[in-house]
Amino acid sequence: MTIPTHAAKVSIRGMRKPRRAAAAKPGSDRTEDAPPRRGRAPSTPSGDLPERMAALERELAAVRAERDELLVDEARWQRLTEQSPLGIIAYRSDGTVKYANRALRGLFELTDEEHALLVAQYNILEDPRLRESGALEQIRKAFAGEVSVLPPTLYERPSPIEGRPVRRWLEGVMYPVRDREGAIREVVLIHTDVTPLRTAEEDLQESQGVLHRQLAELEHLYATTPVGLCLVDRDLRYVRINEMMAAINGRPPAHHVGRTIREVLPDLADDIEPVYRRVIETGEPALDVEVRGTTAAESGEERHWLVSYHPLRSEAGGVHAVSTVVRDITTRTRAETALRESEERFRELAESIREVFWLFDWKEKRVVYVSPAFETVWGRPIESLYGDYGEWGRSIHPDDRAPAS
């Protein structure tokens, strides 16, 4: 801060020596040569002049010392602000710029020309963007004598230095600086760059948005997938379960959570609990384990399921739960059983007749099946026909081969 001082000059040139007093006439209160009084104080005796001069010199010395101290303080303040990593700008009481430190110029990436224009032309009290953002009200409080805190505000401008937009989130504190009489000489604004923090918050919000969307997708998938899904903890208690799995067990989802496997599936517990414990202890999955039995869903009817058990590990590496995938394969198992029984009946029929019966795949050009009577009629082993489907033709009489082919 620069405080102007005015040196006082004192001159004694032209000052006349006081006249000697003339003898007073008898009966008169005036001397003969004394001038008549005209209502003003008599001149100061010459003996007081050195004392007054000394007082003035002391006063001037005090003013000079105060001025020098203020200059030292101002120089120290400017050095501190110039070296500060915070952007500092000082405004005059009318809102114009008095000083901007190096950090502020770097914060906004100002060229020397832009910095000169800032100091010469900018007035914070007339900035329309601050008025639109509502920050001008807080700024005016500082110019009225209050300490004012400015909330994080986004500043954007093209960068003439690197040709990219300058985007800064800044928060600030404004405080007035007063002179000896209490009048506001200037208002100092200290900027703090909170861009990394706000960027991290924006990234976090974006990540949270992505996570929320993914979680919603997973919840939808968990709820609508056509297979049974459940999560069981180390105590073999249900943590969560989807509708399909609850339907397989014949109990609503709310009936599962917090209950053990044995409480929900008493008829299957002896078969499936050892599998869960093995996965928890070893950390290895158990895939496509076939389980059969009865549940409350189909009382008394045996069902078949294909179950996969997947360990879920904590950050420490231990297994804290088991994710289970269950597919009801009852229909497929019954179909496979029916097919197997049909094939057995067919084989019994084919092997009991004396005629030769075979199945041939024309696309693959291979014999799929031939009845045991082939060996009796053709006199050749069945394996030879499986290895070469033309084997049967070589035993036909040459005169009959053409019609047979």
Side-chain angles (χ1 to χ4, degrees), residues 1 3 5 59-74 180-181:
M1 296 178 291
I3 298 181
T5 58
E59 184 177 348
L60 286 175
V63 169
R64 292 190 190 98
E66 183 177 358
R67 178 199 62 190
D68 293 341
E69 184 179 353
L70 290 174
L71 290 174
V72 170
D73 289 343
E74 181 177 4
R180 289 178 176 276
E181 286 72 31

Side-chain angles (χ1 to χ4, degrees), residues 276-295:
Y276 275 104
R277 291 195 178 96
R278 185 171 66 251
V279 172
I280 292 172
E281 292 171 1
T282 65
E284 297 294 330
L287 306 177
D288 297 333
V289 178
E290 189 168 348
V291 178
R292 64 179 181 176
T294 60
T295 68

Side-chain angles (χ1 to χ4, degrees), residues 187-328:
V187 175
V188 176
L189 170 57
I190 300 178
H191 287 286
T192 302
D193 187 359
V194 294
T195 304
L197 177 61
R198 290 301 294 245
T199 302
E201 291 176 351
E202 291 174 354
D203 292 343
L204 178 60
Q205 291 175 356
E206 183 178 355
S207 299
Q208 288 177 338
V210 172
L211 289 176
H212 287 320
R213 290 192 297 271
Q214 291 177 345
L215 180 60
E217 293 170 359
L218 290 175
E219 290 287 353
H220 177 74
L221 180 63
Y222 201 88
T224 60
T225 185
V227 298
L229 300 174
C230 68
L231 189 66
V232 176
D233 64 15
R234 293 181 61 89
D235 296 326
L236 304 187
R237 295 183 181 275
Y238 288 97
V239 177
R240 66 180 304 170
I241 186 170
N242 72 343
E243 292 287 347
M244 179 60 72
M245 188 69 189
I248 291 174
N249 293 343
R251 305 286 185 183
H255 181 82
H256 291 73
V257 177
R259 288 185 169 89
T260 64
I261 293 174
R262 186 168 294 275
E263 290 174 331
V264 178
L265 302 171
D267 296 337
L268 296 175
D270 289 341
D271 294 329
I272 62 179
E273 282 183 346
V275 182
Y276 275 104
R277 291 195 178 96
R278 185 171 66 251
V279 172
I280 292 172
E281 292 171 1
T282 65
E284 297 294 330
L287 306 177
D288 297 333
V289 178
E290 189 168 348
V291 178
R292 64 179 181 176
T294 60
T295 68
E298 301 288 343
S299 180
E301 181 182 356
E302 185 177 80
R303 308 289 294 184
H304 295 258
W305 303 278
L306 201 62
V307 186
S308 292
Y309 306 83
H310 300 271
L312 292 184
R313 299 183 181 276
S314 64
E315 294 182 357
V319 176
H320 69 90
V322 177
S323 176
T324 311
V325 181
V326 179
R327 288 179 291 165
D328 190 330

Side-chain angles (χ1 to χ4, degrees), residues 13-46:
R13 259 186 306 179
M15 295 184 65
R16 297 179 181 179
K17 297 180 179 179
R19 296 180 180 179
R20 294 180 180 177
K25 293 182 179 182
S28 173
D29 58 352
R30 327 179 32 234
T31 59
E32 290 184 358
D33 298 331
R37 297 182 179 179
R38 297 182 181 178
R40 61 178 182 176
S43 301
T44 303
S46 58

